[in-house]
Amino acid sequence: MPRETERCPCGSGQAYAKCCEPYHKEEQLPQTAQQLMRSRYSAFVKGMNEYLLQSWHESTRPEHLQLEAGVNWFGLRIIDNQAGGADDIEGFVEFEAEFAGHDRLQCLHERSRFLREEGRWYYVDGQIYPQSKAEKIGRNGPCPCGSGKKFKRCCG
């Protein structure tokens, strides 16, 4: 798919080049906590460790970040958004992110906290909710990414 029409992984429905890519390339700053959250999700999908670290508040940022190999992200759903606007200094975004890892379909459900300092939003921390039982993905079953292919021939 041409880069100009590649859909943004954050689920906004926009092209990546017009959505999260300008944040990833540091051409723009996210203006809201939700924009930062969506750009961080896209960075997880694309394996962008440096962006994730740069957008993490220094008070809670780890020294290193190693993303787990073999994890495929399938979708983001925003559940709630509190504050986090262009004029706020703190915001919260609750979301669910579906992914497959270790041959199981799983869901990360988190309420993330963000702070804005000197005009820039940062991820601080989050409350992770326990997930219900992770579903086993059969190698011959349909791939959860929605491609219509078997899991073993797609994301497996």
Side-chain angles (χ1 to χ4, degrees):
M1 181 179 299
R3 192 185 71 73
E4 298 81 29
T5 58
E6 172 192 355
R7 289 269 185 224
C8 192
C10 80
S12 67
Q14 297 180 50
Y16 173 64
K18 301 238 185 253
C19 191
C20 291
E21 186 177 45
Y23 306 139
H24 294 161
K25 288 184 166 183
E26 297 185 38
E27 296 170 349
Q28 294 177 4
L29 291 175
Q31 297 300 301
T32 67
Q34 187 177 138
Q35 286 175 339
L36 178 61
M37 196 258 119
R38 286 181 174 280
S39 73
R40 286 178 55 82
Y41 172 82
S42 293
F44 272 102
V45 172
K46 292 185 167 286
M48 304 175 82
N49 293 27
E50 285 304 311
Y51 180 81
L52 292 165
L53 287 170
Q54 290 170 358
S55 61
W56 208 315
H57 194 270
E58 66 183 350
S59 67
T60 57
R61 179 187 316 135
E63 276 189 49
H64 305 285
L65 180 64
Q66 182 61 47
L67 298 178
E68 189 173 340
V71 172
N72 292 304
W73 297 91
F74 297 121
L76 174 68
R77 185 172 74 90
I78 304 296
I79 296 170
D80 191 25
N81 190 46
Q82 296 176 339
D87 297 326
D88 295 319
I89 58 169
E90 185 176 47
F92 298 89
V93 180
E94 184 178 347
F95 68 92
E96 289 181 336
E98 289 188 4
F99 66 99
H102 308 290
D103 292 334
R104 298 206 176 277
L105 183 60
Q106 302 179 59
C107 182
L108 170 64
H109 181 181
E110 181 176 322
R111 183 175 188 259
S112 298
R113 181 169 63 114
F114 298 88
L115 290 177
R116 187 169 61 91
E117 293 180 350
E118 297 179 13
R120 185 178 191 136
W121 283 102
Y122 295 94
Y123 168 79
V124 180
D125 55 22
Q127 175 186 359
I128 297 175
Y129 298 96
Q131 73 172 354
S132 57
K133 185 177 174 184
E135 297 175 34
K136 176 87 171 140
I137 303 172
R139 291 186 43 75
N140 289 316
C143 189
C145 76
S147 68
K149 298 178 183 176
K150 289 183 180 183
F151 179 65
K152 69 182 179 185
R153 299 213 181 267
C154 191
C155 295

